[in-house]
Amino acid sequence: MKPVPGALLLWALLVLSRGPAAVGACSCAPAHPQQLICDAALVIRAKISSEKVVPASDDPLDTHKMIRYEIKQIKMFKGFEKLKDVQYVYTPFDSSLCGVKLEANNKKQYLLTGQILSDGKVLIHLCNYIEPWDDLSLSQKKSLNQRYQMGCGCKITTCYMVPCSITTPNECLWTDWLIERKLYGHQAKHYACIKRSDGTCSWYRGGPPPEKEFIDISEP
């Protein structure tokens, strides 16, 4: 089986993850930050040093363009087994393909999550979790080290309207939209859905990750 060219893989990634809407405009399904981090192959903290528009592939017939951001990696939270240090990240030039616009002034720090393509390039797009570092809560920053990944076996379900209830023991209900009418509310910023030793999942807030088993975990 021949390897998929970078541009084709990029297109396939975007279409498969976005569905039919990807053809006309970028559309992302709502997801808790923990879920986006669990789904990402790479999670890093970085500054953006410069940007350059480059061809999406070496194929002269391919007219797609990408933005190549040169970055200064500050810390890697996920992806060690594939990459040790990231120098560039790539995003579609076209906003309809979920291209990301970042400030390339070597001052602002970002949390970047993305995928690693077959050729080793790091792809980021609007449906990844990409936030200015200073906009993250203290709880989110602490959760990046271990807590989010402790809950990657859990299922986070968005609750849009009542009634909504847990259907499986490994499920956590995400109620920010129901309570605050915004997705990234108090629960997204301060809670992680963690799997306990008995296989069930519950929301956990604050402090360092517990060494053993959770005893008293309250719902938001």
Side-chain angles (χ1 to χ4, degrees), residues 157-178:
T157 301
T158 309
C159 184
Y160 295 107
M161 61 183 66
V162 291
C164 56
S165 59
I166 293 173
T167 57
T168 61
N170 69 331
E171 186 177 3
C172 291
L173 288 179
W174 182 22
T175 58
D176 278 342
W177 180 259
L178 183 66

Side-chain angles (χ1 to χ4, degrees), residues 50 57 78 110 114 117 129 137 148 164 175 181 187 204:
S50 65
S57 74
K78 186 178 180 182
Y110 289 92
L117 302 182
Y129 191 59
S137 69
Y148 280 151
C164 56
T175 58
R181 284 296 181 261
Q187 198 175 19
Y204 175 82

Side-chain angles (χ1 to χ4, degrees), residues 107-194:
K107 294 179 180 179
K108 195 170 188 177
Q109 296 184 25
Y110 289 92
L111 174 69
L112 302 176
T113 74
Q115 287 75 43
I116 302 172
L117 302 182
S118 58
D119 59 4
K121 289 180 179 178
V122 175
L123 171 70
I124 63 173
H125 52 75
L126 285 174
C127 299
N128 296 128
Y129 191 59
I130 297 173
E131 293 285 337
W133 183 256
D134 289 343
D135 289 354
L136 299 176
S137 69
L138 179 60
S139 178
Q140 285 178 303
K141 292 174 181 178
K142 289 182 176 181
S143 294
L144 289 169
N145 288 312
Q146 184 183 8
R147 193 179 301 137
Y148 280 151
Q149 294 187 56
M150 289 170 62
C152 285
C154 298
K155 177 183 178 182
I156 300 177
T157 301
T158 309
C159 184
Y160 295 107
M161 61 183 66
V162 291
C164 56
S165 59
I166 293 173
T167 57
T168 61
N170 69 331
E171 186 177 3
C172 291
L173 288 179
W174 182 22
T175 58
D176 278 342
W177 180 259
L178 183 66
I179 296 172
E180 302 180 46
R181 284 296 181 261
K182 62 181 180 180
L183 284 174
Y184 293 157
H186 187 78
Q187 198 175 19
K189 286 186 171 293
H190 300 289
Y191 284 80
C193 179
I194 304 299

Side-chain angles (χ1 to χ4, degrees), residues 51-79:
E51 62 179 286
K52 182 179 181 180
V53 178
V54 299
S57 74
D58 296 330
D59 184 353
L61 298 178
D62 183 5
T63 60
H64 290 94
K65 301 290 185 181
M66 301 190 79
I67 299 175
R68 184 186 72 187
Y69 289 112
E70 182 179 5
I71 72 167
K72 179 181 179 182
Q73 179 178 305
I74 298 170
K75 184 172 182 178
M76 181 178 289
F77 299 97
K78 186 178 180 182

